[in-house]
Amino acid sequence: MQRALITGITGQDGLYLGELLLSKGYEVYGLIRGQNNPKREMVEATLPGVKLIQGDLTDFASLLRALEIAQPDEVYNLGAISFVAYSWDNPLVTTDITGKGVVNLLEAIRIYSGDDPRKVRYYQASTSEMFGRVQEVPQRETTLLWPRSPYGVAKVFGHYMTINYRESYGMHASSGILFNHESPRRGYEFVTRKITNAVARIKLGLQDDISLGNLDSKRDWGFAGDYVRGMWQMLQQPEPDDYVLATGETHSIREFLDLAFKHVGIEDWAPYVKQDPRFMRPAEVDLLLGDPAKAEKKLGWTREVEFPELVSMMVDNDLRIQSALR
Ligand code: NAP
Ligand code: F7E
């Protein structure tokens, strides 16, 4: 039986990846932080049989201990401060967790692996935010990185550390440069979920309007369930490498609003949407558009969910949740 350790098990991707690995017969271990993490019960209910180990990416000893307990064949490092806006207010903790946390884990794996650098296969959750002020359209594995936020900078550090451990020690360490991926499990702080939740509440008469920031930025949005399949495929390759996962389509926040409001029968969303400078960022990533050709060719990675279906799926889910809460 294959054994996997996932950091960030309580997050959107951790839950989808845990489900995927359990369905493949893996023994799944998840790193969970805090003395009494409020998401523990939800994780145990969503991932029956998962084994949770207390630990924190900032605590090297806890990572070494987690490896000794889980004895994993594969480690997926999904844990991070992942909210870009938060990273400007909290650059130091973002650096410690999203950046330095990667070296803590790589170093723990190196020590745990002894004289067999290929004992554990490692996945690093890199991101399209590393492209920032994009130097090429579409962005691919070779595009110059130009991060625009403390989050993006911390992820660049983790990305190059992963490459460095691969090149220095011969570790099977791969980075997935994933473009935005969303789902009904997306955190409410991200723009897609913020919109679908508000649209559901407006439709049900529970909320009058929604305040947003920049409506003109464009993102390459896919479905998280499709993307975790790609993470697993990367670790099944004989050699480690870096891969972009993206849809190859880009849409503005306005287009997301169009589809979400239309899905509940509202054609003109202008009266319901306010712009608030509080949600503007000190520096914006204006356009993200990824080229997934390498992952498609080498991994055989495919996507199943298209953009309009993704929006409808998220609105329908929030209509169900909000109706039940009424
Ligand atoms: P998410 O929902 O925000 O989940 C982040 C996870 O990190 C949570 O489980 C959180 O645990 C955990 N975490 C935070 N601080 C930690 C620490 N000090 N030690 C250990 N774990 C910690 O993020 P996601 O959307 O699933 O994304 C997964 C990963 O992919 C992240 O690294 C993210 O930066 C990256 N990524 C995401 C996207 C995307 O579009 N979703 C795209 C590219 C890359 P708590 O519940 O305890 O807070
Ligand atoms: O913002 C704009 C905002 O917070 C998307 C993370 O998973 O994907 C995610 O990062 C866009 C930005 O995601 C609001 O300015 C307007 O242009 O949903 P977001 P993100 O910053 O793209 C990448 C790939 C990751 O790696 C990250 O971990 O939407 N926007 N108004 C707003 N954004 C938010 N959150 N809230 C607003 O009110």
Side-chain angles (χ1 to χ4, degrees), residues 83-94 150 278 282:
F83 186 33
V84 174
Y86 179 92
S87 78
W88 272 287
D89 293 332
N90 303 276
L92 300 179
V93 77
T94 303
R278 276 188 308 135

Side-chain angles (χ1 to χ4, degrees), residues 73-284:
D73 302 293
E74 297 172 5
V75 171
Y76 295 86
N77 184 26
L78 310 184
I81 294 294
S82 79
F83 186 33
V84 174
Y86 179 92
S87 78
W88 272 287
D89 293 332
N90 303 276
L92 300 179
V93 77
T94 303
T95 302
D96 281 348
I97 298 173
T98 305
K100 203 176 145 211
V102 180
V103 200
N104 284 340
L105 186 51
L106 284 166
E107 191 59 9
I109 293 172
R110 187 182 72 77
I111 291 167
Y112 166 77
S113 300
D115 53 12
D116 178 7
R118 294 265 166 136
K119 186 177 166 98
V120 177
R121 294 186 174 199
Y122 176 81
Y123 173 83
Q124 172 57 25
S126 289
T127 167
S128 52
E129 279 295 302
M130 300 189 308
F131 296 122
R133 182 189 283 177
V134 300
Q135 300 297 299
E136 188 181 15
V137 181
Q139 296 87 51
R140 45 180 71 91
E141 293 79 5
T142 50
T143 302
L144 181 71
L145 305 180
W146 196 307
R148 296 270 282 168
S149 63
Y151 168 78
V153 173
K155 281 287 184 184
V156 169
F157 175 80
H159 181 69
Y160 280 122
M161 271 296 173
T162 303
I163 294 171
N164 186 256
Y165 270 63
R166 180 164 83 212
E167 294 181 352
S168 303
Y169 303 115
M171 277 173 60
H172 194 294
S174 297
S175 260
I177 307 173
L178 271 50
F179 282 63
N180 297 53
H181 44 279
E182 319 291 316
S183 75
R185 290 175 176 158
R186 188 59 143 150
Y188 289 93
E189 64 272 39
F190 300 97
V191 77
T192 54
R193 188 72 192 276
K194 184 173 170 183
I195 292 172
T196 60
N197 186 50
V199 165
R201 290 175 57 81
I202 289 167
K203 176 67 182 174
L204 295 169
L206 299 170
Q207 183 173 326
D208 295 331
D209 49 39
I210 175 175
S211 294
L212 294 169
N214 176 17
L215 303 184
D216 297 314
S217 59
K218 292 182 150 189
R219 291 291 181 272
D220 180 326
W221 278 299
F223 170 57
D226 288 336
Y227 286 53
V228 299
R229 234 181 13 256
M231 297 175 186
W232 175 78
Q233 286 175 308
M234 287 176 211
L235 296 207
Q236 308 320 303
Q237 300 308 303
E239 292 304 321
D241 205 345
D242 305 320
Y243 298 91
V244 160
L245 298 185
T247 70
E249 273 180 38
T250 190
H251 300 277
S252 65
I253 315 292
R254 289 176 197 281
E255 288 174 79
F256 195 98
L257 285 163
D258 279 341
L259 289 183
F261 274 99
K262 276 201 183 114
H263 192 65
V264 297
I266 299 174
E267 292 295 318
D268 178 15
W269 46 259
Y272 301 100
V273 176
K274 294 186 171 156
Q275 273 190 286
D276 186 331
R278 276 188 308 135
F279 298 112
M280 299 289 188
R281 297 179 177 183
E284 183 59 278

Side-chain angles (χ1 to χ4, degrees), residues 281-300:
R281 297 179 177 183
E284 183 59 278
V285 171
D286 295 320
L287 164 74
L288 289 174
L289 173 62
D291 175 4
K294 178 175 170 185
E296 287 171 351
K297 185 161 176 258
K298 291 202 170 174
L299 304 177

